């Protein structure tokens, strides 16, 4: 019978400020038989802070398939288990998915203990639409893959959100600025709940300048939120790459030929490219 089995509790922990721990999370971590943690040394700091002395086992991205099978057996034996990650809500760009799936598929109970999550914290204070948003996790590591990723989202009307590290925040914004219009609104939420928490809402162009010029804006942990494309503006958008292509073609051919070639290469509507070509031609004579 289901009630004889143990339960798996998925417990959110703070993303910086240790006070962001719910009473229920502390209670659960005290009462379970076992805590499965991404990094047992890391979670000990939190457990010590709350006087929790419980048994720990590790469950991280390199052992989670094997460890999940062992944990399922323990649940079947009636033990209760709490799953925690290094920070925030497990499974959100963190380990835990295989375990939760296995336990659900086995028909056992999985109980969420909600709390901190960088994605939700950032969205709640960003001032960008949240009715519909898309969470993208971490971006691809290579510049070309990131640009392809930005291209795919260029016209998405939804707000989109991604996680970024201090090592790649500048490169990601530089790539984004090559694809998205520089006046697109973005929010950079850095070091949330910590001493140097910074939440900046500005245009992509200004955000890039800020991160380029201010060393502190390249330190810590980041959530980046990008406003969706305004539907009415859809028709008016051509990317910086497409603009560059058109410029090169215009150097070599007439407006008509350059536009025709650009349409064939990019698939962008002729009217839009023609308008852009006329403006470039005018600017050349000015
Ligand atoms: N599971 C976590 C959650 O619920 O937010 C996320 C874990 S993921 C491995 C770590 C990434 O989340 C960081 O690289 C950063 O992008 C984001 N993040 C975590 N804590 C943050 C914070 N205090 N401020 C801003 N971003 C944070």
């Amino acid at each position: 019978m289901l009630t004889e089995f143990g339960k798996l509790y998925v417990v959110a922990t703070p993303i910086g400020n240790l006070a962001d721990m719910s009473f229920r999370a502390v209670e659960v971590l005290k009462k379970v038989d076992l805590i499965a943690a991404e990094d047992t040394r890391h979670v000990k700091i939190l457990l010590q802070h709350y006087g929790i002395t419980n048994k720990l086992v590790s469950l991280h991205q390199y052992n989670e398939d094997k460890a999940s099978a062992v944990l399922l057996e323990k649940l079947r034996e009636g033990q209760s288990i709490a799953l925690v990650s290094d920070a925030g809500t497990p499974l959100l760009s963190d380990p835990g998915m295989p375990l939760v799936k296995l336990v659900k598929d086995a028909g056992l109970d999985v109980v969420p203990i909600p709390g901190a999550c960088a994605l939700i914290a950032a969205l709640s204070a960003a001032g960008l639409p949240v009715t519909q948003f898309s969470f993208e996790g971490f971006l691809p590591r290579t510049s070309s893959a990131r640009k392809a990723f930005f291209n795919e989202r260029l016209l998405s009307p939804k707000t989109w959100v991604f996680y970024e590290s201090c090592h790649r925040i500048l490169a990601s914004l530089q790539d984004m600025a090559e694809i998205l219009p520089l006046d697109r609104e973005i929010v950079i939420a850095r070091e949330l709940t910590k001493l140097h928490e910074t939440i900046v809402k500005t245009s992509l162009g200004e955000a890039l300048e800020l991160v380029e010029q201010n060393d502190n804006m390249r330190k810590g942990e980041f959530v980046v939120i990008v406003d969706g494309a305004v539907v009415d503006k859809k028709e008016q958008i051509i990317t910086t790459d497409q603009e560059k292509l058109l410029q090169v073609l215009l150097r070599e051919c007439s407006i008509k030929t350059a536009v025709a070639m650009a349409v064939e290469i990019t698939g962008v509507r002729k009217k839009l490219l023609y308008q852009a070509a006329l403006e470039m031609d005018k600017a050349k004579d000015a």
Side-chain angles (χ1 to χ4, degrees):
M1 257 177 33
L2 197 65
T3 46
E4 289 174 3
F5 296 134
K7 290 183 180 179
L8 174 68
Y9 297 89
V10 182
V11 182
T13 58
I15 55 169
N17 189 327
L18 288 187
D20 289 336
M21 184 78 176
S22 76
F23 288 117
R24 191 162 165 238
V26 174
E27 249 173 52
V28 167
L29 292 183
K30 279 184 176 165
K31 82 164 191 201
V32 288
D33 296 298
L34 199 61
I35 300 172
E38 186 181 3
D39 179 341
T40 52
R41 275 175 310 178
H42 183 94
V43 81
K44 270 184 190 156
I45 301 167
L46 178 75
L47 299 187
Q48 267 165 16
H49 185 82
Y50 285 99
I52 301 166
T53 51
N54 210 333
K55 248 200 310 191
L56 285 166
V57 292
S58 75
L59 181 130
H60 46 70
Q61 59 170 321
Y62 304 107
N63 77 348
E64 63 180 331
D65 286 335
K66 213 169 156 192
S68 298
V70 174
L71 292 175
L72 177 63
E73 279 320 300
K74 291 189 186 295
L75 290 166
R76 285 191 202 279
E77 287 162 12
Q79 295 194 35
S80 55
I81 299 172
L83 169 69
V84 297
S85 62
D86 283 355
T89 303
L91 277 77
L92 272 289
S93 297
D94 264 343
M97 181 58 201
L99 175 62
V100 171
K101 184 174 182 323
L102 198 67
V103 175
K104 291 295 284 182
D105 290 351
L108 274 61
D109 287 345
V110 179
V111 183
I113 308 294
C117 176
L119 157 72
I120 301 299
L123 276 174
S124 72
L128 286 175
V130 292
T131 328
Q132 280 197 310
F133 68 87
S134 141
F135 174 54
E136 310 289 352
F138 285 100
L139 296 192
R141 281 167 181 250
T142 64
S143 174
S144 59
R146 275 197 300 266
K147 285 183 194 167
F149 168 95
F150 294 135
N151 248 318
E152 276 168 29
R153 279 147 196 84
L154 176 68
L155 297 180
S156 166
K158 287 184 200 168
T159 298
W160 41 280
V161 189
F162 61 91
Y163 283 165
E164 196 47 281
S165 77
C166 54
H167 309 294
R168 277 189 295 273
I169 185 71
L170 179 58
S172 285
L173 291 177
Q174 284 168 336
D175 288 341
M176 203 196 295
E178 288 197 26
I179 308 295
L180 263 62
L182 294 179
D183 63 354
R184 182 73 67 89
E185 277 214 300
I186 75 166
V187 171
I188 299 184
R190 170 182 164 262
E191 293 290 86
L192 292 167
T193 78
K194 303 185 205 175
L195 184 63
H196 298 294
E197 179 179 89
T198 317
I199 304 173
V200 184
K201 182 183 187 203
T202 181
S203 66
L204 169 57
E206 284 184 12
L208 177 58
E209 257 177 45
L210 188 68
V211 173
E212 272 171 349
Q213 287 165 13
N214 183 341
D215 293 352
N216 288 329
M217 284 301 289
R218 296 192 298 274
K219 290 180 187 156
E221 299 188 282
F222 297 83
V223 181
V224 179
I225 308 179
V226 184
D227 197 7
V230 177
V231 178
D232 292 353
K233 276 193 183 168
K234 260 189 189 179
E235 297 295 317
Q236 298 167 17
I237 293 172
I238 67 168
T239 68
T240 316
D241 276 355
Q242 289 161 353
E243 220 173 86
K244 277 186 202 153
L245 171 75
L246 195 55
Q247 261 161 359
V248 173
L249 291 170
L250 280 170
R251 258 186 253 141
E252 305 298 326
C253 337
S254 68
I255 292 186
K256 198 175 158 202
T257 313
V259 170
M261 288 171 83
V263 169
E264 203 164 323
I265 297 167
T266 63
V268 172
R269 287 180 59 226
K270 185 175 170 189
K271 192 176 157 198
L272 193 58
L273 288 167
Y274 193 69
Q275 185 62 36
L278 286 180
E279 279 167 24
M280 284 176 200
D281 196 51
K282 236 194 274 168
K284 186 186 75 186
D285 296 335

